[in-house]
Amino acid sequence: DGGITQSPKYLFRKEGQNVTLSCEQNLNHDAMYWYRQDPGQGLRLIYYSQIVNDFQKGDIAEGYSVSREKKESFPLTVTSAQKNPTAFYLCASRDRGPGNTIYFGEGSWLTVV
Amino acid sequence: AQSVTQPDIHITVSEGASLELRCNYSYGATPYLFWYVQSPGQGLQLLLKYFSGDTLVQGIKGFEAEFKRSQSSFNLRKPSVHWSDAAEYFCAGLNAGNNRKLIWGLGTSLAVNP
């Protein structure tokens, strides 16, 4: 089955540590996205990538980093510089068909302890 | 500036009642418009989308939405709500620029009374 796989589902991090969230897709989509979701704030764009080896900052990129070395993979690193990292993180990819639909993974919960 | 607004933060309906969730957009040109549903702790699932053609769009799970250019709206409807429809609903618009970013509403939380 085609889809987007995020791992881990739940992650606990100590303050001062970096942590990397994995996102893999087998949909052959060029564009991929990372969103952060907090209660009452909807979805906020962290980073996006239109193509391999290229990515752009979204609205809240500070304290985060990404890479796009392969079409299938778009990992997100939450660095110690991110002051409030506890949130639900969603990875997505976009197809080229009519309407350019965006599809989502199941999300990863990050908690700083 | 492009924007998507969902005026209702929370809605409660009785099971079997009809449902309408509001979404208003502000775009220079006709955007692509989407409705997604999210169950607690899960990813978002596409319900339906509008990008051209017939302004009444049918989606999954018995949902439909109507694009009304004159009202800048894309409201989601369902004739008879089921308890399993309780979830968070998000409206989004795809901007026309080169970066193709989705502009999101803040969501409407739907509760269903038995």
Side-chain angles (χ1 to χ4, degrees):
Chain A
D1 286 336
I4 301 171
T5 302
Q6 290 188 238
S7 62
K9 178 68 175 179
Y10 300 96
L11 187 60
F12 296 88
R13 187 195 90 174
K14 293 183 178 180
E15 285 194 20
Q17 287 183 335
N18 293 352
V19 63
T20 296
L21 306 180
S22 170
C23 178
E24 303 280 332
Q25 55 101 356
N26 60 6
L27 301 169
N28 199 33
H29 291 170
D30 287 316
M32 297 187 73
Y33 304 80
W34 273 105
Y35 289 92
R36 170 178 171 144
Q37 189 175 27
D38 297 281
Q41 296 196 45
L43 279 76
R44 293 185 290 169
L45 183 64
I46 304 173
Y47 268 96
Y48 63 101
S49 168
Q50 303 270 55
I51 199 168
V52 173
N53 293 324
D54 184 59
F55 49 83
Q56 288 81 41
K57 294 181 179 180
D59 302 317
I60 56 166
E62 184 175 353
Y64 299 96
S65 66
V66 294
S67 62
R68 187 82 188 280
E69 298 176 359
K70 298 186 301 181
K71 186 175 186 177
E72 302 79 18
S73 179
F74 191 41
L76 174 73
T77 297
V78 184
T79 75
S80 57
Q82 169 51 235
K83 299 194 184 316
N84 186 19
T86 295
F88 187 52
Y89 291 88
L90 286 160
C91 179
S93 67
R94 177 170 56 82
D95 71 18
R96 290 189 175 188
N100 285 181
T101 303
I102 289 184
Y103 298 91
F104 285 84
E106 289 300 304
S108 293
W109 289 96
L110 173 62
T111 303
V112 174
V113 297
Chain B
Q2 296 166 338
S3 66
V4 172
T5 303
Q6 294 180 246
D8 304 306
I9 296 174
H10 185 84
I11 286 181
T12 301
V13 299
S14 297
E15 191 168 18
S18 63
L19 172 70
E20 183 170 29
L21 302 182
R22 295 185 291 164
C23 175
N24 297 105
Y25 67 90
S26 173
Y27 278 81
T30 300
Y32 295 170
L33 295 165
F34 305 82
W35 274 101
Y36 286 86
V37 61
Q38 184 182 33
S39 297
Q42 301 296 315
L44 278 72
Q45 181 182 23
L46 178 70
L47 285 174
L48 47 80
K49 64 184 179 184
Y50 170 80
F51 57 97
S52 67
D54 194 345
T55 56
L56 183 62
V57 181
Q58 302 296 322
I60 63 171
K61 304 186 179 187
F63 286 93
E64 67 177 26
E66 187 170 12
F67 172 67
K68 293 185 176 180
R69 186 189 304 276
S70 61
Q71 299 177 18
S72 297
S73 69
F74 187 57
N75 294 349
L76 182 71
R77 302 193 295 248
K78 187 169 184 177
S80 177
V81 171
H82 188 261
W83 64 266
S84 60
D85 293 324
E88 189 87 15
Y89 291 80
F90 291 94
C91 182
L94 188 66
N95 68 350
N98 290 331
N99 59 23
R100 311 296 279 174
K101 291 191 299 181
L102 271 178
I103 308 297
W104 291 90
L106 292 182
T108 298
S109 177
L110 174 66
V112 180
N113 287 333

